[in-house]
Each structure stands twice: as C-alpha cells, then as structure tokens.
Amino acid sequence: MLLKGVTLRGLEVFEALAKTGSVAQTAELTGLSQPAVSQQLRNLEKALGGDLVDHGRRPMVLTAAGRNFLSRTELILAELRLAQSEMSVMDLTHLSTLSIGLIDDFDNDLTPRLATILADSMTQCRFKMTTASSLEIIKAMEARELHIAIGASTGEEQSGIDEYPLVRDPFILVAPRGFLQTVESDLDRLGKLPFLRYARDQLISQQIEAHMLSQKLDFEERFEIGSHLALMAMVARRIGWAVTTPLGYMRATRFHDQLDAFPLPFGSAERTISLFAASDWAEQVPRDVATTVRRLVQTQMIDPALKRLPWLTGEFRAIDS
C-alpha cells in the first residue's frame, strides 16, 4: 500500500518539476495551477518525510534524495503509461481487414509494440502493417491502398482524408561531440564542416530546405543521405553536421555519446507527425489508434528524449486530441 499522500498526480508533478525546475512550466505541462503544483509537491514531500527539491534555488534542483526518488518515479510512470497505451485500443474485433502504414522513424521500439497491440485487438481481422517514408505513405493513402497511415504532415488538406495530429517534432541541429561549445557563440564554426542533407526526395529534406530558404541560408551541396541512422553515423564520425528532429535523433541511440544536439540556431521550425484515415471510415477506429500511438510515443520516444535533452521540454511533445 502506498504511503498516505503519495498519489499518481503527485508523482507526475514531481517528474515534470524535475525536468523543468520551474513551478510555472510544470503547471503548463500538467494543466494544474501553480498553487496546485506547489501543494502536490508539499504533500509528496510530507508523505516521504524529506525534501525532494532544494526550495532555496531557482530554477529548482533535486536533492540527493530527490534524484534517487526520481529514478524510481520515472520507472513507475513509464510502466503505467505503457500499460495504459496497451489497453487504449479496446476492441477492434469488428474489423475484417486493416492496412496501416507507418513512418520509418518509428521502426526501433514503437512499431513492434503497436503491431502487437493491434494484433491482439483484432483476432478475426486480416491485418497488414508496412513502414515507408512519409511521401510514400501519403501517396498510398491517396491511392486508397491504406486504411490508416502515420507520417509527417505536408500541411496541405487532402480531399477525403481526415488528419489527427499526434506529435510536434521540432527541428534541431546535431554536431560531432565537442565541435560546438554553444551553438550561438560558435555558429561560424559550422562552415568548417559540410552540411549533411537528407535525400532530396524525402519530405523531411524538403521541409528543412524550405526553412533554410526562408532564412536565406545556403550551404554547399556535397552529401545527401537517405536514412536517419546513416546521417547520425556520419555526424558521429565528424564528417559533418546535420539538421534533424528528436525522432530522428532518438533512433540513433548507439551514437549519442558521439553527438551533441542543440536548438535550431537559425529560426525555429518543426514538423507534425499525424495519423491519416479515409473520411468514410468509422471515426472511432482512427481515434483509438491515434490515442494509442500518442501514448506509445510519449513513453518510448518523448520521455527518453527529454531525459537526455531537457531543453526540448514543451517543444517535443504529443499533441492532445
């Protein structure tokens, strides 16, 4: 039995406060008022019998006890969120067939989990799941080759297709470890290494190039790389620097010790990952799948990313339905 005063809401508030160091930002993330955030923290500390944060410092920092308790809290909340996501698609047994396409950014952890959840929910259904690039997914939806698709949004309305935004995925700059001390003061150093581009036939490349053009930036064209992992490997090997997104960065965990990531220094920009479904489909099915995907992205991608890159808090986030 939990100690009196230790609540799920209190744990969520503490986790958010540990990431932001700010009562105001925690209130924004949790949807609570600032006094309610402070009260949740006081209740939790009273129940545990000690301070979790140093109340005399701004931004707030964790005490030794707080750091230890945070590691336990993150494990507990991650398991609860995962369990919640696995139960969120309650009943798809009425479907006779489902074809779904997913952006290849999700290949590592999310796609296998989603496939298992959907398969368990559709015991009598003919089920097909494919992974592809966003542009390929969009074309397949337009040709009605897929019932549901998850990929980057072009921002253009598509006739006969409903869009359910899932994730805000901001563009970030990735450089070899130690190449830049701070991106603002060392921006001129970017000219010492080539800019590594995504292949131009990819939507992410077109979106990055459009933003560069809007900022009147022009870099030498030498490299075009067709995969996230290859791009991150080349940055890790100090061949160049790149613009990617947190989803792309999190696919390359094997290279993280050789990379530094920074906010985009030349104007902020982002892409939106959305679920697409034919307008004549029963609305509840895509809504249920979208809810599941948001929760999986939160536990499998966003939470680990914010732990490694806390400055992404509020920028890299699931989009509420």
Side-chain angles (χ1 to χ4, degrees):
M1 181 179 294
L2 287 177
L3 293 172
K4 185 178 180 180
V6 177
T7 65
L8 179 58
R9 178 55 100 181
L11 295 179
E12 289 176 327
V13 165
F14 171 60
E15 180 189 47
L17 190 59
K19 290 175 181 176
T20 65
S22 163
V23 170
Q25 290 184 50
T26 298
E28 183 178 349
L29 286 175
T30 59
L32 298 174
S33 66
Q34 293 186 36
V37 167
S38 298
Q39 186 63 53
Q40 287 286 345
L41 180 61
R42 285 195 296 269
N43 292 345
L44 185 59
E45 289 181 324
K46 182 178 179 180
L48 296 173
D51 288 343
L52 297 173
V53 302
D54 183 342
H55 294 271
R57 295 181 61 179
R58 294 293 184 276
M60 289 184 178
V61 295
L62 299 183
T63 62
R67 290 192 296 273
N68 182 61
F69 189 66
L70 177 63
S71 63
R72 305 291 186 183
T73 298
E74 289 174 331
L75 289 174
I76 292 168
L77 292 178
E79 288 299 318
L80 286 173
R81 288 166 181 153
L82 185 57
Q84 186 180 32
S85 69
E86 289 176 345
M87 293 183 66
S88 63
V89 177
M90 298 303 294
D91 183 14
L92 299 179
T93 55
H94 61 287
L95 295 180
S96 60
T97 181
L98 176 66
S99 179
I100 184 169
L102 283 89
I103 190 172
D104 43 20
D105 302 57
F106 288 166
D107 272 354
N108 280 19
D109 297 312
L110 193 146
T111 298
R113 288 188 181 276
L114 180 61
T116 300
I117 293 168
L118 292 176
D120 286 345
S121 303
M122 299 179 297
T123 55
Q124 306 299 319
C125 178
R126 182 179 178 184
F127 177 45
K128 180 181 179 181
M129 176 180 282
T130 59
T131 59
S133 70
S134 289
L135 288 178
E136 290 172 322
I137 285 173
I138 291 169
K139 290 178 182 177
M141 277 299 301
E142 291 174 344
R144 297 299 190 266
E145 296 170 356
L146 298 170
H147 296 115
I148 291 176
I150 297 171
S153 174
T154 64
E156 299 177 357
E157 186 174 345
Q158 301 176 63
S159 177
I161 297 176
D162 292 335
E163 181 174 349
Y164 303 80
L166 302 175
V167 184
R168 184 182 189 273
D169 195 26
F171 290 112
I172 61 176
L173 188 147
V174 181
R177 174 60 59 89
F179 179 68
L180 303 174
Q181 294 305 309
T182 65
V183 73
E184 294 84 1
S185 62
D186 294 345
L187 193 57
D188 59 331
R189 282 182 56 81
L190 292 180
K192 298 183 181 299
L193 286 178
F195 173 40
L196 308 179
R197 289 175 162 86
Y198 284 97
R200 289 189 181 275
D201 60 355
Q202 295 181 334
L203 180 58
I204 189 172
S205 176
Q206 295 168 17
Q207 292 172 327
I208 291 171
E209 293 297 329
H211 179 68
M212 295 287 201
L213 183 62
S214 73
Q215 300 295 308
K216 297 180 172 56
L217 295 170
D218 185 27
F219 296 100
E220 180 184 6
E221 297 186 23
R222 287 187 58 197
F223 296 96
E224 288 187 35
I225 314 301
S227 79
H228 290 299
L229 286 178
L231 191 72
M232 294 300 100
M234 292 178 70
V235 176
R237 291 292 184 90
R238 312 186 78 80
I239 295 172
W241 58 275
V243 174
T244 186
T245 71
L247 283 179
Y249 174 79
M250 291 306 294
R251 284 202 63 197
T253 53
R254 73 183 75 171
F255 302 118
H256 283 178
D257 289 343
Q258 299 161 270
L259 301 172
D260 285 328
F262 304 92
L264 203 62
F266 23 77
S268 62
E270 73 281 333
R271 64 177 185 165
T272 299
I273 306 300
S274 296
L275 180 144
F276 303 92
S279 300
D280 56 3
W281 246 55
E283 184 181 21
Q284 193 57 44
V285 173
R287 286 194 178 278
D288 283 347
V289 176
T291 297
T292 297
V293 173
R294 288 188 191 99
R295 290 171 176 166
L296 283 174
V297 172
Q298 186 70 49
T299 58
Q300 302 301 305
M301 312 291 278
I302 296 176
D303 289 344
L306 298 186
K307 189 173 183 180
R308 188 169 189 91
L309 306 173
W311 49 266
L312 281 171
T313 299
E315 298 298 316
F316 182 38
R317 56 181 173 81
I319 300 173
D320 294 334
S321 56

